[in-house]
């Protein structure tokens, strides 16, 4: 039972981060139909900026966290304005190629700026572990769950009770009708990129407090965020949360009871099974078209 609970806590912690990244994927795809393949690199930027500031400066931790998130938001907005917006075609393939090129470029920039070595930050919150049925529950894990819960609740309120949130939903449901009503899909997409960058930056700060992160470490995490989004149903925010937690638990229990060497295999295997058996996702979602 103690091992089971330990794997459960670990899976929920990493799964919560995957859920943040998955929500970012869903948000951009819903508003604009774009699959942002640089989502993992935004996480890398947020996490490494946060850790670098903690190591090399005397800024308070909260200030470093805010600056790390701000860096990811800035890069995401620049990506949309300087690259995605320049693509005249509305087909999916050119947009994917643009974000793929941005992913390669951001990785190399990360290697040049932060170096090739991985970085790690101390837990965002200290304190003695809590014993639960023989397993150790770290306060850091509880903080991660709480942050993700607050973010999910905040996004729900944003989309249901704010003008910009309702405008983004309108762009998702009917872009032509939204534009005819005076809503700018281009502006909404930029806002979506900014929010997605904030989620990725926050995810980077959380993940670098759980494990080490290097310049190329965001790619796989970003891919897992996509797998989580696809599992829940690409286009469904609640599905992104379910998918993220499911993927985190699958990895944790697979690593614990089978082998940690196959942790990434479980994620990719889930994607293959999903595409074969239920390509629309667990809860159903929008279909990706060119």
């Amino acid at each position: 039972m103690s091992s089971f609970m330990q794997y459960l806590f670990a899976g929920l912690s990493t799964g919560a981060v995957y859920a943040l990244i998955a929500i970012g994927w869903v948000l951009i795809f819903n508003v604009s139909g774009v699959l942002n393949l640089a989502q993992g690199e935004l996480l890398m930027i947020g996490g490494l900026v946060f850790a670098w500031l903690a190591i090399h400066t005397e800024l308070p931790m909260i200030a470093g966290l805010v600056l790390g998130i701000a860096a990811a938001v800035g890069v995401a907005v620049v990506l949309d304005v300087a690259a995605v917006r320049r693509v005249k075609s509305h087909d999916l393939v050119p947009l994917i190629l643009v974000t793929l090129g941005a992913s390669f470029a951001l990785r190399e920039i990360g290697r040049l700026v932060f170096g090739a070595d991985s970085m790690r930050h101390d837990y965002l919150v200290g304190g003695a572990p809590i014993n639960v049925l023989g397993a150790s529950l770290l306060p850091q894990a509880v903080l991660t769950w709480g942050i993700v819960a607050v973010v999910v609740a905040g996004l729900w309120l944003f989309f249901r009770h704010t003008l910009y949130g309702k405008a983004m939903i309108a762009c998702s449901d009917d872009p032509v009708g939204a534009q005819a009503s005076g809503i700018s899909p281009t502006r909404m997409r930029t806002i979506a990129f900014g929010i997605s960058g904030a989620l990725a930056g926050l995810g980077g700060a959380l993940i670098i407090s759980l494990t080490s992160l290097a310049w190329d470490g965001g790619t796989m995490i970003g891919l897992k965020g996509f797998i989580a989004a696809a599992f829940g149903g690409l286009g469904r925010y609640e599905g992104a949360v379910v998918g993220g937690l499911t993927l985190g638990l699958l990895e944790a229990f697979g690593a614990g009871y089978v082998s940690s060497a196959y942790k990434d295999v479980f994620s990719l295997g889930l994607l293959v099974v999903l595409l074969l058996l239920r390509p629309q996702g667990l809860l159903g979602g929008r279909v990706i078209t060119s």
Side-chain angles (χ1 to χ4, degrees):
M1 178 59 70
S2 62
S3 297
F4 176 88
M5 295 301 296
Q6 200 69 63
Y7 301 147
L8 177 67
F9 296 153
L12 290 176
S13 297
T14 55
V17 177
Y18 293 158
L20 284 179
I21 308 305
I23 292 172
W25 278 96
V26 170
L27 178 60
I28 294 177
F29 181 69
N30 268 359
V31 174
S32 63
V34 176
L35 290 174
N36 180 22
L37 298 185
Q39 192 68 17
E41 280 59 49
L42 297 178
L43 176 141
M44 176 270 293
I45 290 170
L48 292 186
V49 167
F50 172 55
W52 188 92
L53 290 173
I55 294 171
H56 297 284
T57 70
E58 297 182 357
L59 284 174
M61 183 177 63
I62 188 65
L65 177 62
V66 170
L67 289 174
I69 294 174
V73 171
V75 172
V77 171
V78 169
L79 171 60
D80 175 59
V81 174
V84 176
R85 191 177 295 184
R86 304 295 179 183
V87 179
K88 302 302 181 183
S89 172
H90 295 288
D91 291 339
L92 185 64
V93 173
L95 294 169
I96 287 179
L97 292 177
V98 166
T99 60
L100 179 61
S103 171
F104 289 134
L106 290 174
R107 278 205 301 273
E108 288 303 312
I109 292 173
R111 182 177 64 85
L112 293 174
V113 173
F114 300 107
D117 296 331
S118 60
M119 283 193 275
R120 171 76 185 270
H121 189 277
D122 293 333
Y123 292 140
L124 295 177
V125 59
I130 305 168
N131 186 282
V132 180
L133 298 178
S136 297
L137 175 60
L138 294 173
Q140 170 72 24
V142 179
L143 176 67
T144 300
W145 302 340
I147 288 175
V148 174
V150 169
V151 168
V152 171
L155 286 174
W156 184 86
L157 292 173
F158 172 76
F159 287 120
R160 293 296 184 273
H161 300 287
T162 68
L163 183 61
Y164 278 102
K166 292 178 180 179
M168 293 172 74
I169 291 177
C171 289
S172 173
D173 293 338
D174 186 2
V176 177
Q179 190 169 14
S181 301
I183 299 172
S184 172
T186 300
R187 180 183 300 176
M188 293 303 106
R189 187 186 62 215
T190 301
I191 294 174
F193 265 85
I195 296 175
S196 179
L199 295 175
L202 177 60
L206 293 174
I207 204 73
I208 208 169
S209 300
L210 296 171
T211 184
S212 58
L213 183 66
W215 61 277
D216 58 347
T219 303
M220 182 55 73
I221 300 175
L223 175 59
K224 291 178 180 179
F226 173 75
I227 294 173
F231 178 81
L234 195 59
R236 302 284 297 259
Y237 298 102
E238 65 275 22
V241 177
V242 172
L245 295 177
T246 301
L247 183 58
L249 291 172
L250 176 64
E251 287 189 352
F253 283 110
Y257 289 118
V258 182
S259 172
S260 59
Y262 300 112
K263 184 178 68 171
D264 294 337
V265 174
F266 297 131
S267 302
L268 298 175
L270 177 64
L271 178 61
V272 172
V273 172
L274 177 68
L275 292 174
L276 291 175
L277 300 182
R278 191 171 174 82
Q280 71 272 32
L282 185 67
L283 303 182
R286 292 176 59 187
V287 178
I288 302 175
T289 58
S290 59

